[in-house]
Amino acid sequence: MNCTTAREVLNSVLDGEEHPDLEEALNHNKECKQCDIWYKEMKSVLGILESSRDCVPEIDLADIVNARLTKKNPLRRLAAVTVFAWLAGLFILAAVVFGFSRSMNLDSIIISSINSYDFLKTGLISILGVVFSITRALGTAFWEIYKNNEFRTVFVRFVALDSLFLLLSAFIWRRRKQTSISLNLVA
Amino acid sequence: MQTSDSELVQKCLHGDNSAFDALVRRYQKQVFGLCCRMLGDDAEAADAAQESFIKAYNAMSSINKDRSFLSWMFRIANNCCIDFLRKRSRRKVVSFEDIEGNISDSGSTPERISMKKETARILQAALMHLPEKFRAPLVMFHFSEMKIKEISEILRKPEGTIKSDLHQAREMLRRRLEGVVIET
């Protein structure tokens, strides 16, 4: 048996395995002084590892972990995300109302030109906007709690969705303005 | 009779925080021990162990029922230690020569305690010189008394690779501890 094979066998034995060639490897060590010293040193290393096994300071993590988990109470999280979602929803609502009031020319001087049909339509759209905003905000908050994601994700999602919504509002407003101009030209 | 890990995990999933508390108390020593050996710093190890338990709590729903809780926990703790080591390498260089553990050892003479402390200190310093990929299997095998198969599951490496890493780690340790080995 050569040195490499003998050391492989002895390493397996040091791993706690039984090896059929152990006898042969030990016989090799009797003839090879280097391998014999190596094996003795390896056994000493194992002895040091064994003797240091329990040398770990005593610690009680349970209370600290518990305190940290209470801090991250899902109910508190839910409350925080919901408040944030509502605030974001309100911001969108304000943007929607502003966009549609512009589209209906509510801020123009000629109030008399607005007929009752437009008023009704604006009101309905606003109510729908409120319902949409609140539902979406709450839905997102609950979804985030369920998925247990970070707060940042909620924010990014809101920004992405609200940007889309604002773009849509702007598009509708532009279309309505163009129609209004065309009607004026026809008139 | 002691409640099994899987029962405690189930209770935990149903919102019973005391079940998780029991799991922490059951495995805190092993997890903290692993972190201590991996990081070589008690304070950092305590932080890493805490972080591991918090991560485990948050990821409890993803635990595989066929896998042991401790193996799963060790995987989280090992990843946590790797994160801590990465942060450390960006932040500062720790002098491992200054590592001094507050080792508890009752029932031994002061000389023996002192010698044991010294050996542990030297060993920890030597461990910290091992590359991370060799340190993890060595710590798990020799300190946490895990089997090669379990380590291969935790580290997601073939058993042969774990064995080879373990042998190399021991060889590196032997060279580092040469003086100490002769004295013992």
Side-chain angles (χ1 to χ4, degrees):
Chain A
M1 189 180 270
N2 62 24
C3 293
T4 315
T5 318
R7 286 185 188 198
E8 270 174 25
V9 172
L10 293 169
N11 250 325
S12 299
V13 174
L14 292 171
D15 285 343
E17 291 172 10
E18 284 178 14
H19 206 287
D21 299 331
L22 173 64
E23 202 65 38
E24 210 180 324
L26 289 173
N27 283 336
H28 165 84
N29 277 12
K30 280 176 191 168
E31 291 158 19
C32 177
K33 205 179 174 185
Q34 273 189 324
C35 283
D36 192 43
I37 291 169
W38 173 85
Y39 188 49
K40 276 176 186 162
E41 283 183 352
M42 273 302 203
K43 282 206 281 192
S44 299
V45 169
L46 251 65
I48 290 174
L49 288 168
E50 183 120 349
S51 69
S52 304
R53 191 174 287 164
D54 300 324
C55 296
V56 171
E58 294 290 331
I59 196 162
D60 189 10
L61 292 169
D63 293 337
I64 309 164
V65 171
N66 202 19
R68 279 185 67 180
L69 286 175
T70 319
K71 208 176 161 187
K72 280 197 170 187
N73 192 323
L75 279 173
R76 286 187 188 182
R77 220 182 123 85
L78 175 76
V81 178
T82 309
V83 166
F84 179 77
W86 270 77
L87 286 174
L90 278 173
F91 169 74
I92 296 307
L93 182 65
V96 169
V97 170
F98 176 73
F100 277 103
S101 68
R102 290 277 297 174
S103 73
M104 305 308 282
N105 287 329
L106 282 176
D107 53 344
S108 70
I109 309 154
I110 317 155
I111 292 170
S112 57
S113 66
I114 303 166
N115 56 39
S116 57
Y117 171 71
D118 279 344
F119 259 132
L120 182 72
K121 215 159 64 173
T122 317
L124 270 174
I125 287 166
S126 295
I127 291 163
L128 278 174
V130 173
V131 172
F132 173 79
S133 259
I134 293 168
T135 316
R136 189 175 54 82
L138 282 173
T140 315
F142 276 109
W143 176 249
E144 288 307 323
I145 297 297
Y146 176 72
K147 293 283 283 180
N148 211 9
N149 280 349
E150 287 303 314
F151 202 73
R152 198 174 50 182
T153 320
V154 186
F155 181 76
V156 170
R157 198 165 294 176
F158 263 115
V159 169
L161 276 170
D162 295 349
S163 306
L164 264 173
F165 203 72
L166 279 173
L167 276 171
L168 191 71
S169 301
F171 176 72
I172 293 169
W173 176 63
R174 235 181 111 81
R175 280 292 294 262
R176 278 196 66 89
K177 202 176 174 187
Q178 277 173 354
T179 318
S180 160
I181 292 164
S182 316
L183 283 170
N184 281 341
L185 283 172
V186 171
Chain B
M1 208 179 88
Q2 201 183 37
T3 320
S4 72
D5 288 354
S6 52
E7 277 176 299
L8 287 173
V9 168
Q10 281 308 310
K11 280 184 182 175
C12 215
L13 288 170
H14 288 98
D16 184 355
N17 275 2
S18 64
F20 188 70
D21 198 61
L23 282 169
V24 175
R25 285 183 201 283
R26 192 175 288 177
Y27 294 116
Q28 60 184 356
K29 200 176 175 198
Q30 285 99 316
V31 172
F32 178 61
L34 175 81
C35 295
C36 270
R37 307 294 183 193
M38 288 295 288
L39 298 169
D41 181 273
D42 296 349
E44 256 190 327
D47 286 345
Q50 272 180 50
E51 204 59 47
S52 308
F53 280 116
I54 302 279
K55 279 186 181 171
Y57 180 85
N58 289 331
M60 198 64 95
S61 55
S62 69
I63 190 169
N64 187 344
K65 282 175 188 172
D66 304 324
R67 207 172 158 190
S68 94
F69 177 79
L70 186 61
S71 296
W72 181 70
M73 195 63 233
F74 264 33
R75 183 168 168 72
I76 295 173
N78 185 55
N79 288 339
C80 233
C81 288
I82 292 169
D83 287 344
F84 268 70
L85 287 168
R86 279 187 193 139
K87 278 180 204 162
R88 181 196 281 172
S89 66
R90 282 199 293 265
R91 200 177 62 233
K92 58 174 183 177
V93 178
V94 170
S95 163
F96 296 117
E97 305 308 315
D98 297 333
I99 297 164
E100 184 60 65
N102 179 24
I103 300 154
S104 65
D105 192 339
S106 54
S108 303
T109 61
E111 290 80 26
R112 271 189 69 84
I113 295 173
S114 157
M115 222 174 96
K116 210 171 170 184
K117 266 188 182 182
E118 185 58 16
T119 314
R121 191 188 65 79
I122 294 166
L123 176 68
Q124 188 58 52
L127 274 178
M128 295 316 295
H129 280 93
L130 294 183
E132 186 189 293
K133 72 169 218 166
F134 295 133
R135 200 187 313 151
L138 185 99
V139 167
M140 286 179 199
F141 188 80
H142 288 289
F143 294 110
S144 308
E145 293 176 79
M146 303 210 96
K147 294 196 168 56
I148 302 272
K149 194 172 182 271
E150 288 174 305
I151 302 170
S152 87
E153 279 170 17
I154 293 168
L155 300 177
R156 290 187 183 163
K157 281 179 183 176
E159 283 183 42
T161 312
I162 296 294
K163 269 189 182 184
S164 159
D165 288 351
L166 187 61
H167 296 171
Q168 284 194 64
R170 275 203 304 250
E171 185 58 38
M172 286 178 194
L173 209 58
R174 184 186 69 85
R175 285 186 196 145
R176 281 243 156 232
L177 296 172
E178 223 159 4
V180 183
V181 172
I182 292 160
E183 280 167 27
T184 51

